[in-house]
Amino acid sequence: MSKIKIATTKYPVLDIIKKRWSARAFSDKQIPEEELHTLFEAASWAASANNEQPWQYMYAHKGTPGFDTIANSLLPGNQPWAKNAAVLIVAIARKTFEANNSVNAYSIHDLGMANAHLLLQAHAFDIYCHTMAGFDKVKLAEEIKLSENQEAVCVIAAGFLAVAETLQEPFKIRELTGRKRKNINEFTFKL
Ligand SMILES: Cc1cc2nc3c(=O)[nH]c(=O)nc-3n(C[C@H](O)[C@H](O)[C@H](O)COP(=O)(O)O)c2cc1C
């Protein structure tokens, strides 16, 4: 793995956080179902408002009709590389509370928390993930038969890494460029 992607931090951030990055070059290696289940279980241990656990995941392995359905919904900036992922996962928020059907204003927030767990757990298996909002939400929702109460928030491409040279430009250069973040003093304010 290219060391360029590992976060350089000022403070002692956990290794698994430093190593996670959004890959585009995926190899042909399949993800064992057991490892996928581990990722979903990690997601399930995220915090959520009222312990509602408003996340749902629909996923498909490469080479299946379900995979093609998800891949075909991706926008042109994503499809060329994401179609090589081993698995595509649709991350869905359930928009209302199960107990009383009132709106859960935190459903997307909590789905994001679960996704973060999933992505970090993936790194324990050297599985790389790339979250995407660039897909046709309406088309995908129709094709995977989501209800009014389910929102497809993002698609996550997951797989093992291939070398960046397997990518076409402009994706290859992105795979070879280091990651940057704001300094914490730009977004934290002591009151
Ligand atoms: C909600 C969300 C939507 C994203 N959508 C896309 C996308 O459609 N295409 C893409 O290439 N990357 C997408 N990304 C990935 C971000 O561009 C990436 O996380 C960011 O540049 C930081 O890079 P890193 O994850 O490697 O640290 C998305 C990330 C998130 C969390």
Side-chain angles (χ1 to χ4, degrees), residues 20-22 24 77-78 81 130-134 154 179 181:
R20 184 217 59 83
W21 60 279
S22 299
R24 291 184 175 84
N78 293 327
W81 51 267
H130 197 135
T131 306
M132 295 167 282
C154 51
R179 298 187 301 135
R181 287 301 191 268

Side-chain angles (χ1 to χ4, degrees), residues 30-169:
Q30 287 297 311
I31 301 178
E33 199 69 15
E34 185 82 4
E35 293 185 6
L36 270 180
H37 289 178
T38 310
L39 307 196
F40 294 132
E41 187 169 20
S44 82
W45 285 99
S48 65
N50 205 35
N51 199 20
E52 177 69 19
Q53 305 162 61
W55 42 76
Q56 295 177 335
Y57 295 100
M58 292 190 188
Y59 68 98
H61 292 266
K62 188 162 64 185
T64 65
F67 184 96
D68 294 340
T69 298
I70 305 171
N72 289 336
S73 77
L74 298 173
L75 297 185
N78 293 327
Q79 203 183 69
W81 51 267
K83 68 176 170 37
N84 297 322
V87 173
L88 289 173
I89 303 167
V90 188
I92 298 160
R94 213 170 9 83
K95 297 193 280 187
T96 58
F97 286 105
E98 273 175 348
N100 58 12
N101 292 327
S102 65
V103 173
N104 178 359
Y106 296 96
S107 63
I108 292 178
H109 172 276
D110 293 349
L111 173 66
M113 301 267 280
N115 289 348
H117 277 212
L118 189 155
L119 265 55
L120 292 174
Q121 180 70 49
H123 270 265
F125 295 123
D126 286 327
I127 295 168
Y128 287 76
C129 294
H130 197 135
T131 306
M132 295 167 282
F135 67 101
D136 185 332
K137 272 193 178 190
V138 176
K139 178 178 162 176
L140 185 60
E142 263 173 34
E143 293 193 349
I144 61 176
K145 299 184 174 44
L146 296 187
S147 71
E148 289 283 294
N149 195 29
Q150 294 171 300
E151 179 177 347
V153 176
C154 51
V155 174
I156 301 170
F160 295 94
L161 216 52
V163 291
E165 285 65 31
T166 56
L167 292 169
Q168 306 267 307
E169 294 297 3

